[in-house]
C-alpha cells in the first residue's frame, strides 16, 4: 500500500500546478467533505456530498486563486490529519487550519474529509 501522507502531498502538489486528476483519484466517488459545525449546532455541516462536488469546489477555488501549502501530518489508523496554510488573493493573509482525510480500510481512497478549525479539533476527529 502506498504511503497515504505522500498520496495527499502529491495530490495537492498537482493541484498547485492546476492538475486536478490526482485529487480526483484520491477520493472515492461517494466521498463526502464535511465542514466545521456551525454555531452551537451539534450537527455537521455538509460541504460536498460526493467526489464530483469536492473536485468541482476545489477547481473553483483554484480558478479564484486559492492555494494550499501542506504542513504537519498526523496519521492514526485509517485517518490522516493535515495542517494546511490556505492563501487567497482576496484575503489579507493566509489562514492555517487542519483537514482530516479518512481512508477506506485497507485502501488508498478517501471516503471522508473533515474540516477542522485547529489541531486540537483534528486530534478529536482522529480519535473518533
Amino acid at each position: 500500500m502506498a504511503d497515504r501522507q505522500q498520496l495527499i502531498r502529491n495530490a495537492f502538489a498537482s493541484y498547485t500546478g492546476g492538475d486536478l486528476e490526482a485529487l480526483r483519484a484520491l477520493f472515492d466517488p461517494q466521498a463526502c467533505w464535511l465542514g466545521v459545525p456551525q454555531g452551537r449546532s451539534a450537527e455537521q455541516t455538509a460541504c460536498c456530498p460526493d467526489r464530483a462536488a469536492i473536485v468541482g469546489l476545489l477547481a473553483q477555488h483554484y480558478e479564484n486563486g486559492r492555494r494550499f501549502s501542506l504542513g504537519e501530518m498526523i496519521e492514526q489508523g485509517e485517518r490522516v490529519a493535515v495542517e494546511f496554510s490556505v492563501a487567497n488573493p482576496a484575503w489579507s493573509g493566509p489562514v492555517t487550519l487542519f483537514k482530516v482525510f479518512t481512508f477506506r480500510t485497507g485502501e488508498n481512497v478517501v471516503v471522508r474529509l473533515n474540516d477542522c478549525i485547529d489541531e486540537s479539533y483534528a486530534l478529536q476527529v482522529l480519535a473518533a
Side-chain angles (χ1 to χ4, degrees), residues 7-119:
L7 287 172
I8 295 168
R9 286 194 189 283
N10 292 346
F12 280 91
S14 293
Y15 169 90
T16 299
D19 180 2
L20 300 176
E21 287 310 308
L23 279 168
R24 189 179 325 280
L26 183 64
F27 290 98
D28 180 82
Q30 301 306 313
C32 65
W33 180 357
L34 300 173
V36 176
Q38 299 297 313
R40 296 179 185 199
S41 172
E43 295 179 20
Q44 296 170 325
T45 303
C47 289
C48 298
D50 57 30
R51 177 175 62 195
I54 292 168
V55 175
L57 182 58
L58 288 169
Q60 191 175 56
H61 288 334
Y62 183 84
E63 292 299 320
N64 292 330
R66 189 172 298 182
R67 299 297 181 265
F68 301 96
S69 298
L70 281 62
E72 173 187 9
M73 292 190 175
I74 306 165
E75 189 165 349
Q76 183 174 328
E78 302 300 326
R79 295 184 176 111
V80 180
V82 182
E83 178 184 38
F84 280 85
S85 177
V86 184
N88 186 313
W91 300 348
S92 61
V95 173
T96 300
L97 52 88
F98 279 76
K99 295 183 181 293
V100 176
F101 295 77
T102 302
F103 287 81
R104 179 176 291 122
T105 302
E107 296 183 31
N108 286 325
V109 61
V110 173
V111 294
R112 182 176 170 143
L113 177 63
N114 288 80
D115 284 343
C116 302
I117 57 173
D118 58 22
E119 184 175 9

